């Protein structure tokens, strides 16, 4: 029988206001094995920890139950305190009476009853706890950054500057991401290319950085400090070592009718193309779906023109395997195509564009060389209506529930830039609310209203339709309480941002959790905002939630610091709560190995001696350094040969029994 | 029948194996039990009563030296693949003779038809000639077929080394195997609960279902293992007792070949196969058609992950139906 101490925390009023903590301590005293029980205002404080340490020594405790907040919060704190008092840290169990009890109950009586039950379950479990000892594993001193937009570039640069090797995997042929497509950036209106392209060059030239462009992560195995990642390098059909980036091939290509993705399809590119002038790496890529040579073996013009003999139609995709200590997700975002919002006529009217499309139409390097022309007839629009919150902040299934955060600012920017170029343009902005918290943000917006005279209309747009060559916008003006119709030449939709679709499968590969919108979740919304709950996986930029460039760059730096902190360690303590196989009952059926996401289970032929049998048979063996204690094997094993240390089937059954008793 | 015995003799004479696992006449003239024969094939029998699935017996047979010749009906061959896949039997140590099957006869149904005091049964085509202490009786075998045969998976052998070609025409009307499951699904949760409580309350825990099941092949069953804490639990009360079958169904989910032996051997006639078929139906709906034991390599859908897999919320969604 263990000698158990139970410590009930008030957490100020967080627990004590809803749970009768004294009653919980009193009830615990009657449980088998409990030799000491008490309550205290803040168990996690220094004096709370002292109570724990003193009790361990005074009562010779062999097991401890802390009734407090979630183990995610302070399990490590209490384990450390117990260890310093000479108790094995894995003899400490947490009963979560805050998140799972006091916070969700209003009635003190039922909350107290539940807290007592949770305490009893933890006491029943700790009866069966065994001391565990953690092993160590080495840290691979190399980081992987997935995504080469501004977030990925900044994170990679910061890690590289600290002296660690870092690889960027970018699925597009060039790094740069969405920022490369922008014209000017709020609130200071520097040109995006002027501040981004030097960074692109820096990161590519950095001795510690390797860029895998036109590549994707296809498999991730391993765990914090020791991930093994497979990177699929898609064929460019260009020999990167020979190509000089002269671009002669792109000029001669006869298939010049391909929509140019970089310019949002407003102009055309060849089947062989360089995405944009400042692309890094500055190498062409062949679009295999458009290239005549790759489709039916006829043409080969680019190959003939290339003096460097760099065109290689036989190139195949390549799988590169590399080991990393840390992984940063920087997969970014896309602006949704508002095709499902028929009221805005995006599908039918060419002069209704998204704001990212508008960026290209304004950009000096864009399809119109910076001259604002409406897509339908190339005329300069005299009246432009901007509609905000398209697909954001909604409650129907076609809309995102969240605020896309950047639209208020870039719409003010679009309005001012347009007015700068063409002061006689009439600009109207339909908005629900204007959200401009941020340094110099509100001043920026006010400048649009006060100095530029942009007409801000509080209200939603009900309908956009074409009439006599005009784009008619019908909406409500809530301030004047009337319906208005504006005859515009062009409409710009600030449609919602959403995580890149590649994030979902990546999240699964990394076992990193995501929210319902497919944004990656952080380990703690406030205290660990750049870490994923999965150890060794970090978050940078829009993949975690909508944010603008200044915020993205700050978060990118923060993620880099976390990575550097991890890579600076030579060894990491392993989790000792790993699987173990009772080989005397193992069938060797391989089901556990099938479900193991870490490849931690192997099989050996071994002589088994039990009172019933003595034979050589195939049994499972767990590699404790590789096992992450997920428990998938334990629930798959039909004969319960696989068990998880610290969470054995018996311990869990004991908890269930205690709850049901 | 004679074709089978002749083939066995020939194969043993050729030395493909040193013994044969087949059906043997048991205590009563219509009993067919698994038997291993070496030189003397006296008592080896393959006829309408050879219903039992021999695949599981290969686990112990292949632990012995030498190679064993085994007779396999189509539905039993799935079990062989399952056991090979799970490394429970060594393919090298067996030689499989695939034997044709035109459904098996259920002796209980013969008795239920009012025929008592059976001395002997002979077959002539579809006619069973039953010699009883009360005289000669005749019965169309198609009226007394095993339930499991009425919705079996057909005449295909999925694994064999040699095959005795089927020269009989299939003349039996089959039913959809999911029909009974759908009837259960159509019940209200209360009705269904009452149905299973009633059926499972008949269980005497003889363990026949478990012992015959080719998917229940653990070296040590959790219900026999005092370390699991489950063994004693299941005796605690009548509801826990019922859980034996539910847990067993979970353990064989994704691995059950639907051979129907569990229900056939149940002395209390509990339709245990319906639990397994419900799982098969769910798996087919959620992960695409899957037949356990179709081959000896494919990893089952429950121990394999693809991006297209059902998300956990199906439990919630299905639970609402």
């Amino acid at each position: 029988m263990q000698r158990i101490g139970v410590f009930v925390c008030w957490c100020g009023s967080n627990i004590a206001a809803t749970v009768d903590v004294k009653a919980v301590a009193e009830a615990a005293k009657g449980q088998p094995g409990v030799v000491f029980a008490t309550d205290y205002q803040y168990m996690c404080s220094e004096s709370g920890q002292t109570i724990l340490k003193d009790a361990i020594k005074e009562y010779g405790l062999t097991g401890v139950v802390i009734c407090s907040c979630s183990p995610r919060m302070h399990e490590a704190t209490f384990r450390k305190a117990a260890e310093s008092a000479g108790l094995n840290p894995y003899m400490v169990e947490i009963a979560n009476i805050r998140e799972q009890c006091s916070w969700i109950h209003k009635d003190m009586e039922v909350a107290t009853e539940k807290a007592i039950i949770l305490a009893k379950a933890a006491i029943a479990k700790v009866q069966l706890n065994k001391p565990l000892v953690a092993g160590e594993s080495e840290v691979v001193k190399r980081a992987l950054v997935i995504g080469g937009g501004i977030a990925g570039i900044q994170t990679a640069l910061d890690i590289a500057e600290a002296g660690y090797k870092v690889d960027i995997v970018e699925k597009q042929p060039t790094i740069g991401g969405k920022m490369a497509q922008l014209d000017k950036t709020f609130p200071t209106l520097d040109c995006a290319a002027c501040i981004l392209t030097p960074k692109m060059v820096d990161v590519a030239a950095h001795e510690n950085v390797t860029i895998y462009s036109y590549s994707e992560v296809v498999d991730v195995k391993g765990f914090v400090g020791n991930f093994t990642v497979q990177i699929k390098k898609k064929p460019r059909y260009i020999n990167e070592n020979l190509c000089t980036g002269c671009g002669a091939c792109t000029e001669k290509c006869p298939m010049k009718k391909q929509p140019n993705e970089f310019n949002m399809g407003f102009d055309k590119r060849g089947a062989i193309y360089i995405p944009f002038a400042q692309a890094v790496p500055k190498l062409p890529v062949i679009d295999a779906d458009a290239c005549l040579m790759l489709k039916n073996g006829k043409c080969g013009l680019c190959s003939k023109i290339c003096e460097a003999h760099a065109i290689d139609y036989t190139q195949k995709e390549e799988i590169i395997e590399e080991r990393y200590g840390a992984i940063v997700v920087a997969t970014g975002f896309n602006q949704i195509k508002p095709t499902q919002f028929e009221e805005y006529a995006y599908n039918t009217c060419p002069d209704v564009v998204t704001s990212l499309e508008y960026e290209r139409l304004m950009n000096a390097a864009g399809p119109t060389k910076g001259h604002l022309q409406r897509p339908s007839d190339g005329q300069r629009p005299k009246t432009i209506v901007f509609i905000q919150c398209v697909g954001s902040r909604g409650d129907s299934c076609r809309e995102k529930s969240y605020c896309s955060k950047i639209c208020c600012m870039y719409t003010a920017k679009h309005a001012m830039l347009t007015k700068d170029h063409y002061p006689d343009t009439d600009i109207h902005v339909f908005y629900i609310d204007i959200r401009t918290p941020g340094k110099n943000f509100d001043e920026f917006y006010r400048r649009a209203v006060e100095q530029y005279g942009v007409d801000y209309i509080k209200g939603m747009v009900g309908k956009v339709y074409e009439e006599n060559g005009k784009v008619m916008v019908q909406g409500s003006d809530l301030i004047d309480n009337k319906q208005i119709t504006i005859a515009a030449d062009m409409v710009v939709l600030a449609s919602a941002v959403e995580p890149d679709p590649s994030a979902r499968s990546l999240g699964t590969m990394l076992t990193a959790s995501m929210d319902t919108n497919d944004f990656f979740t952080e380990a703690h919304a406030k205290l660990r905002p750049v870490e994923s709950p999965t150890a060794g996986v970090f978050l940078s930029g829009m993949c975690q939630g909508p944010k603008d460039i200044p915020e993205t760059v700050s978060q990118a730096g923060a993620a880099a610091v976390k990575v550097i902190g991890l890579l600076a360690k030579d060894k990491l303590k392993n989790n000792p709560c790993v699987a173990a196989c009772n080989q005397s009952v193992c069938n060797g059926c391989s089901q556990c190995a099938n479900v193991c996401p870490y490849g931690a289970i192997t099989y050996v032929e071994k002589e088994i001696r039990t009172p019933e049998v003595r034979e050589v048979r195939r049994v499972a063996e767990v590699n404790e350094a590789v096992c992450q204690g997920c428990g998938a094997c334990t629930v798959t094993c039909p004969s319960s040969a696989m068990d998880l240390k610290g969470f054995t089937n018996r311990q869990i059954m004991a908890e269930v029994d205690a709850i049901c008793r | 029948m004679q074709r089978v015995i002749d083939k066995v003799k020939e194969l043993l004479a050729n030395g493909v194996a040193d013994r044969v696992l087949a059906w043997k006449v048991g205590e009563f003239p219509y009993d067919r039990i698994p038997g291993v024969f070496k030189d003397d094939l006296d008592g080896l029998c393959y006829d309408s009563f050879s219903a039992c699935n021999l695949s599981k017996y290969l686990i112990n047979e292949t632990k012995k030296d030498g190679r064993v010749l085994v007779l396999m009906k189509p539905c039993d061959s799935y079990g062989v693949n399952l056991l090979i896949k799970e490394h429970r039997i060594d393919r090298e140590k067996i030689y499989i003779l695939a034997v044709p099957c035109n459904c098996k006869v259920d002796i209980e149904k013969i008795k239920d038809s009012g025929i008592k005091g059976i001395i002997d049964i002979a077959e002539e085509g579809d006619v069973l000639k039953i010699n009883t202490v009360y005289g000669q009786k005749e019965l169309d075998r198609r009226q007394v077929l095993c339930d499991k045969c009425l919705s079996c998976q057909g005449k295909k052998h999925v694994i064999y080394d040699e095959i005795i070609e089927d020269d009989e025409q299939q003349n039996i009307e089959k039913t959809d195997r999911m029909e009974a499951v759908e009837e259960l699904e159509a019940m209200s949760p209360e009705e269904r609960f009452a149905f299973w409580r009633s059926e499972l309350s008949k269980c005497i825990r003889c363990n026949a279902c478990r012992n015959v099941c080719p998917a229940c092949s653990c070296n040590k069953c959790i219900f026999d293992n005092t370390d699991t804490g489950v063994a004693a639990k299941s005796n605690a009360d009548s509801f826990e007792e019922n859980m034996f079958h539910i847990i067993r169904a979970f353990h064989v989910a994704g691995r059950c070949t639907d051979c129907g032996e569990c229900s056939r051997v149940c002395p209390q006639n509990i339709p245990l196969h319906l639990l397994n078929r419900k799982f098969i139906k769910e798996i087919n709906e959620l992960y695409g058609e899957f037949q356990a034991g179709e081959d000896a390599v494919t990893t089952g859908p429950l121990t394999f992950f693809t991006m297209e897999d059902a998300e956990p919320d199906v439990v919630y969604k299905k639970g609402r139906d």
Side-chain angles (χ1 to χ4, degrees):
Chain A
M1 179 78 84
Q2 308 275 15
R3 293 178 60 79
I4 301 168
V6 180
F7 303 82
V8 187
C9 181
W10 302 14
C11 196
S13 62
N14 270 305
I15 294 172
T18 333
V19 169
D20 182 347
V21 287
K22 295 224 179 300
V24 177
E26 215 39 54
K29 275 182 193 157
Q31 290 298 302
V34 175
V35 294
F36 175 75
T38 189
D39 58 279
Y40 184 68
Q41 213 163 5
Y42 290 106
M43 274 311 296
C44 59
S45 67
E46 196 184 347
S47 41
Q49 293 187 41
T50 308
I51 293 173
L52 169 66
K53 289 180 207 168
D54 289 349
I56 290 173
K57 287 176 197 150
E58 193 182 335
Y59 295 92
L61 300 182
T62 59
V64 165
V65 170
I66 317 266
C67 304
S68 61
C69 51
S70 159
R72 284 279 292 276
M73 215 47 209
H74 281 307
E75 185 176 62
T77 313
F78 294 122
R79 278 182 174 167
K80 220 163 133 188
E83 192 172 22
S84 74
L87 188 65
N88 183 286
Y90 294 90
M91 298 306 289
V92 176
E93 288 296 329
I94 308 284
N96 180 353
I97 61 165
R98 193 178 76 169
E99 284 86 341
Q100 292 175 355
C101 187
S102 70
W103 277 2
I104 51 165
H105 288 288
K106 289 198 173 86
D107 184 66
M108 189 145 193
E109 205 176 313
V110 295
T112 305
E113 191 190 343
K114 181 169 169 184
I116 290 170
I117 290 170
L118 292 171
K120 283 180 180 171
I123 293 164
K125 184 183 179 198
V126 89
Q127 284 283 12
L128 299 169
N129 276 25
K130 290 197 172 75
L132 300 174
V133 180
E136 282 183 334
S137 62
E138 272 182 56
V139 177
V140 179
K141 308 238 171 203
R142 189 181 194 97
L144 170 67
V145 176
I146 306 171
I150 179 62
I153 291 171
Q154 187 62 49
T155 304
L157 270 176
D158 289 348
I159 297 170
E161 276 298 297
Y164 296 105
K165 296 281 180 198
V166 51
D167 296 353
I168 299 178
V169 172
E170 168 58 54
K171 71 177 163 139
Q172 300 295 340
T174 171
I175 59 168
K178 293 286 179 300
M179 187 174 169
Q181 288 178 281
L182 305 184
D183 183 23
K184 304 264 194 308
T185 52
F186 62 78
T188 46
L189 295 181
D190 345 43
C191 120
C194 314
I195 56 176
L196 175 68
T197 51
K199 271 197 191 292
M200 290 164 62
V201 175
D202 282 355
V203 77
H206 205 291
E207 56 178 7
N208 284 339
V209 181
T210 308
I211 297 175
Y212 295 106
S213 60
Y214 211 43
S215 303
E216 283 168 38
V217 170
V218 287
D219 188 45
V220 179
K221 285 210 164 60
F223 51 94
V224 54
N226 199 344
F227 294 103
T228 303
V229 178
Q230 287 193 352
I231 300 163
K232 179 174 84 181
K233 219 162 167 262
K234 295 177 276 189
R236 268 178 188 274
Y237 305 104
I238 306 295
N239 184 328
E240 298 180 16
N241 300 324
L242 299 179
C243 177
T244 60
C246 72
C249 52
T250 65
E251 282 157 30
K252 291 290 173 211
C253 178
M255 297 300 286
K256 284 223 171 50
K257 290 274 168 65
Q258 314 311 316
N260 183 355
E261 299 87 350
F262 186 73
N263 279 336
M264 305 304 285
F266 284 124
D267 62 357
K268 306 287 182 205
R269 59 161 171 82
I272 183 166
Y273 66 103
I274 298 176
F276 59 99
Q278 296 81 21
V280 171
K282 198 171 181 209
L283 295 171
V285 56
I286 297 182
D287 177 350
D289 295 330
C291 172
L292 286 176
M293 191 66 185
L294 289 172
K295 278 203 303 195
N296 40 31
K298 289 180 189 136
C299 182
L301 259 182
C302 51
S303 169
K304 285 180 199 122
I305 207 87
C306 180
E307 287 178 7
H309 306 291
I311 310 281
D312 176 6
Y313 299 114
T314 63
Q315 213 170 55
K316 294 275 176 302
E317 76 174 34
E318 201 184 324
I319 300 285
I320 296 159
E321 192 171 289
E322 186 65 76
R323 288 170 71 225
Y324 299 100
I327 297 177
V328 182
V329 184
T331 44
F333 75 104
N334 282 305
Q335 190 175 25
I336 62 166
K337 288 264 180 206
T339 48
Q340 75 273 48
F341 300 92
E342 284 177 20
E343 64 268 39
Y344 299 124
Y346 179 79
N347 293 336
T348 50
C349 178
D351 294 329
V352 178
V353 300
T354 66
S355 36
L356 193 55
E357 288 164 358
Y358 194 71
E359 290 279 350
R360 295 314 300 157
L361 293 176
M362 305 249 295
N363 195 302
T368 56
K369 306 271 182 291
H371 302 294
L372 186 57
Q373 296 168 358
R374 60 181 210 171
S376 64
D377 54 9
Q379 293 297 306
R380 179 164 79 80
K382 294 280 172 54
T383 304
I384 305 177
V385 171
F386 289 84
I387 305 173
Q388 298 212 187
C389 296
V390 172
S392 299
R393 304 177 65 196
D395 46 18
S396 73
C397 59
R398 57 180 197 156
E399 291 157 316
K400 309 290 181 191
S401 58
Y402 51 85
C403 166
S404 294
K405 201 171 185 180
I406 53 177
C407 327
C408 285
M409 287 297 287
Y410 71 59
T411 298
K413 175 191 78 174
H414 286 160
M416 284 193 274
L417 290 176
T418 309
K419 285 270 202 187
D420 268 338
H421 288 292
Y422 311 104
D424 59 339
T425 314
D426 266 341
I427 295 184
H428 309 272
V429 179
F430 281 93
Y431 70 98
I432 307 178
D433 302 289
I434 292 295
R435 300 181 162 185
T436 53
K439 192 174 168 185
N440 292 328
F441 280 19
D442 203 56
E443 295 90 324
F444 184 81
Y445 149 70
R446 285 214 312 271
R447 207 157 79 222
V449 179
E450 291 160 13
Q451 288 180 24
Y452 285 82
V454 176
D455 175 30
Y456 271 78
I457 306 163
K458 187 173 175 74
M460 300 281 284
V461 169
K463 197 176 173 188
V464 175
Y465 55 99
E466 280 182 284
E467 198 173 271
N468 306 328
K470 289 279 185 189
V471 192
M472 309 299 288
V473 181
Q474 186 188 324
S476 49
D477 182 337
L478 295 181
I479 307 278
D480 287 347
N481 194 21
K482 61 178 183 193
Q483 285 291 312
I484 53 174
T485 303
I486 297 170
D489 299 309
M490 204 172 166
V491 171
V492 183
L493 305 177
S495 67
V497 297
E498 65 179 1
D500 191 83
S502 63
R504 182 86 235 171
S505 57
L506 190 64
T508 307
M509 274 187 253
L510 293 167
T511 61
S513 61
M514 300 181 115
D515 65 19
T516 49
N517 295 308
D518 281 0
F519 286 116
F520 283 89
T521 13
E522 53 280 18
H524 188 286
K526 283 151 274 182
L527 300 179
R528 294 171 69 193
V530 297
E531 293 157 85
S532 151
T534 303
V537 176
F538 303 90
L539 311 174
S540 176
M542 276 269 208
C543 68
Q544 179 257 341
K547 52 182 67 66
D548 55 32
I549 296 167
E551 248 186 299
T552 295
V553 172
S554 325
Q555 201 199 20
V561 168
K562 293 290 173 190
V563 170
I564 294 162
L566 170 60
L567 298 188
K569 291 181 181 140
D570 291 326
K571 293 206 160 168
L572 291 177
K573 270 219 159 141
N574 289 342
N575 169 16
C577 297
V578 291
C581 178
N582 176 358
Q583 295 176 329
S584 71
V585 294
C586 173
N587 298 325
C589 71
S590 280
Q591 293 195 81
C592 55
N594 285 340
V595 298
C596 177
Y598 305 100
I601 299 170
T602 50
Y603 287 87
V604 286
E605 295 283 334
K606 203 165 172 179
E607 185 177 89
I608 302 299
R609 293 180 188 198
T610 68
E612 294 134 31
V613 72
R614 183 176 161 178
E615 62 185 8
V616 176
R617 64 177 188 232
R618 183 177 194 270
V619 288
E621 225 169 43
V622 179
N623 181 342
E624 295 203 350
V626 179
C627 174
Q628 291 301 292
C630 74
C633 54
T634 66
V635 290
T636 306
C637 180
S639 53
S640 288
M642 276 289 176
D643 218 345
L644 192 59
K645 291 181 198 167
F647 297 90
T648 61
N649 291 328
R650 293 203 73 145
Q651 284 176 302
I652 289 164
M653 285 305 281
E655 285 184 280
V656 174
D657 279 346
I659 289 168
C660 297
R661 198 163 283 139
Chain B
M1 163 76 175
Q2 196 52 48
R3 280 199 301 157
V4 171
I5 292 175
D6 290 346
K7 191 74 197 174
V8 169
K9 277 183 186 156
E10 179 197 322
L11 289 171
L12 288 180
N14 289 350
V16 299
D18 49 31
R19 61 198 188 276
V20 56
L21 171 61
W23 298 270
K24 174 167 110 174
V25 179
E27 196 169 338
F28 293 99
Y30 41 77
D31 277 350
R32 300 289 174 268
I33 58 174
V36 177
F37 303 85
K38 273 199 140 167
D39 307 317
D40 182 8
L41 299 185
D42 196 22
L44 191 153
C45 181
Y46 180 64
D47 61 10
S48 276
F49 295 94
S50 308
C52 85
N53 181 348
L54 298 179
S55 61
K56 189 177 182 178
Y57 297 88
L58 287 169
I59 297 177
N60 276 334
E61 265 321 300
T62 52
K63 284 181 182 169
K64 299 172 188 162
D65 289 336
R67 194 136 73 124
V68 59
L69 170 65
V70 62
L71 306 191
M72 273 295 139
K73 304 197 299 291
C75 56
D76 307 342
S77 62
Y78 294 85
V80 177
N81 267 341
L82 178 80
L83 291 164
I84 292 172
K85 182 165 80 182
E86 295 185 349
H87 305 277
R88 306 311 312 282
I89 54 180
D90 183 352
R91 178 71 180 91
E92 296 300 310
K93 292 177 95 171
I94 52 176
Y95 192 89
I96 303 168
L97 174 61
V99 294
C101 176
N102 197 17
C103 299
K104 300 300 166 196
V105 164
D106 185 349
I107 185 66
E108 297 303 324
K109 286 191 181 174
I110 296 178
K111 289 177 182 171
D112 288 347
S113 74
I115 297 174
K116 302 270 188 287
I118 300 168
I119 298 167
D120 206 354
I121 304 176
E123 293 181 58
E124 247 171 59
D126 281 332
V127 182
L128 295 173
K129 300 206 161 176
I130 307 165
N131 182 19
T132 78
V133 290
Y134 308 107
Q136 190 81 18
K137 311 261 171 168
E138 282 193 6
L139 206 56
D140 188 329
R141 72 189 286 278
R142 284 171 294 183
Q143 287 162 3
V144 288
L145 292 176
C146 289
D147 282 339
K148 72 169 189 173
C149 301
L150 294 175
S151 58
C152 86
Q153 306 172 62
K155 289 180 163 249
K156 187 177 82 169
H157 286 85
V158 288
I159 184 171
Y160 56 84
D161 294 300
E162 206 154 322
I163 188 163
I164 296 181
E165 289 301 338
D166 196 351
D167 53 7
E168 283 178 273
Q169 284 297 311
Q170 180 79 275
N171 58 352
I172 286 140
E173 204 175 317
K174 297 278 167 113
T175 52
D176 178 7
R177 64 174 177 152
M178 290 305 169
E179 240 168 49
V181 177
E182 279 156 12
E183 276 169 31
L184 281 173
E185 286 173 340
M187 289 181 184
S188 70
E190 293 75 23
E191 285 172 336
R192 199 158 49 231
F193 188 73
F195 170 83
W196 280 115
R197 284 289 279 161
S198 156
E199 286 295 338
L200 296 179
S201 70
K202 295 191 246 165
C203 175
I204 55 172
R205 274 303 292 280
C206 68
N207 287 337
C209 52
R210 179 191 78 182
N211 295 351
V212 78
C213 174
C216 257
S217 62
C218 285
N219 289 318
K220 188 149 199 158
C221 175
I222 56 155
F223 289 101
D224 294 344
N225 186 347
T226 47
D227 287 344
T228 61
V230 180
K233 261 186 125 47
S234 62
N235 300 329
D237 60 47
S238 69
F239 184 73
E240 297 277 8
E241 175 87 54
N242 291 175
M243 291 305 286
F244 168 77
H245 294 287
I246 311 282
I247 292 172
R248 214 183 71 77
F250 268 97
H251 278 206
V252 301
R255 302 162 57 234
C256 167
T257 65
D258 202 12
C259 73
E261 283 288 89
C262 45
S263 293
R264 190 187 67 84
V265 299
C266 180
Q268 298 293 87
N269 295 317
I270 305 172
L272 294 163
H273 67 288
L274 292 181
L275 287 174
N276 303 324
R277 280 204 184 146
K278 171 66 176 165
F279 275 100
I280 291 171
K281 187 164 178 279
E282 291 292 325
I283 289 168
N284 287 348
E285 284 169 13
L286 293 174
Y287 303 99
E289 289 287 320
F290 177 75
Q291 169 62 51
E294 181 77 39
D295 61 51
V297 285
T298 309
T299 308
L302 296 188
T303 50
F304 186 69
F305 172 76
T306 71
M307 299 301 280
E308 287 73 41
D309 275 0
E311 295 285 332
D313 64 353
V314 293
V315 176
Y316 169 70
K317 286 176 182 159
K318 285 223 157 198
R320 282 191 306 183
D321 292 343

